[in-house]
Amino acid sequence: MQKAAAPLMIPVRSVRPSPLASVHAAEGFAARMALRRSVRDFSPDPVPEGVVEAAIRAAASAPSGANVQPWRFVVVTSPARKRRLREAAEAEEREFYSRRAPAEWLDALAPLGTDWRKPFLEVAPVVIVVFEVHQGPHSPKPYYVKESVGIAVGLLIAALHHAGLATLTHTPSPMRFLNEVCDRPPEERPYLVMPAGYPAPDARVPMVSRKPLDEVMVRC
Ligand code: IYR
């Protein structure tokens, strides 16, 4: 086997902030992210042109295994397509809530107040369906796919929140119906569904809290 050519290397573009500016930036970001909530009641108001594109560009800047970038972001805005999405998702969710979910899982979900109804898939002005891209006729073998796509989705959520939009990380189960609804080939596997938009004026979210830092961070 021939050895791969040495990669072209370029200088890293980075400006080191002062320590104070660094702490300020980190604190500001943490405070902003702490305001993010998963929203299930959306306003149908459209989102400004370009916000979703820029947020997906931010998401697609994520690190990925071997830099394969194994993700596809399908942006659904057409009312007809959103309706199909909702109908197909609700059919699965109806099964999930009435038959498939074990009692333990339903108990865990009870504080969130979720059920099989998914009107947000039709009401939100944009629904981004995220797919993992596996090896196929036009896609190389990816590595650490779930980790890579998870990181990209984290950036997507942060980017949309930063732009003032609310999101929901929605995971219908099973999700294969999304290939048909979104016209995607079999090597693309649904990862999650993300409605995005502004919260409805009367939107409510469950009163839940985040673990304090000393519960999630340890030093060793
Ligand atoms: N997919 C279902 C159930 C659900 C599961 C988890 I884990 C959640 O955090 C929330 C919901 C639904 O979307 O309702």
Side-chain angles (χ1 to χ4, degrees), residues 33-45:
M33 290 312 296
L35 295 175
R36 187 204 56 78
R37 295 299 313 264
S38 289
V39 164
R40 290 184 169 78
D41 294 310
F42 287 88
S43 155
D45 292 350

Side-chain angles (χ1 to χ4, degrees), residues 40 93 96-97 105 109 112 114-115 118 170-171:
R40 290 184 169 78
E93 294 290 333
F96 173 83
Y97 281 94
W105 195 344
L109 293 179
L112 303 181
T114 58
D115 62 24
K118 305 298 170 194
H170 175 49
T171 49

Side-chain angles (χ1 to χ4, degrees), residues 7-91:
L8 281 175
M9 304 295 279
I10 56 172
V12 64
R13 275 187 302 177
S14 118
V15 181
R16 186 190 293 210
S18 71
L20 206 64
S22 198
V23 171
H24 187 72
E27 289 289 355
F29 188 73
R32 191 163 194 139
M33 290 312 296
L35 295 175
R36 187 204 56 78
R37 295 299 313 264
S38 289
V39 164
R40 290 184 169 78
D41 294 310
F42 287 88
S43 155
D45 292 350
V47 301
E49 186 80 31
V51 168
V52 169
E53 287 83 347
I56 292 176
R57 233 184 293 130
S61 75
S64 62
N67 192 35
V68 170
Q69 304 165 56
W71 39 65
R72 179 86 59 227
F73 300 91
V74 179
V75 178
V76 184
T77 51
S78 112
R81 192 78 69 150
K82 285 192 292 175
R83 172 175 292 247
R84 270 178 66 194
L85 190 54
R86 174 185 181 175
E87 284 172 357
E90 286 185 337

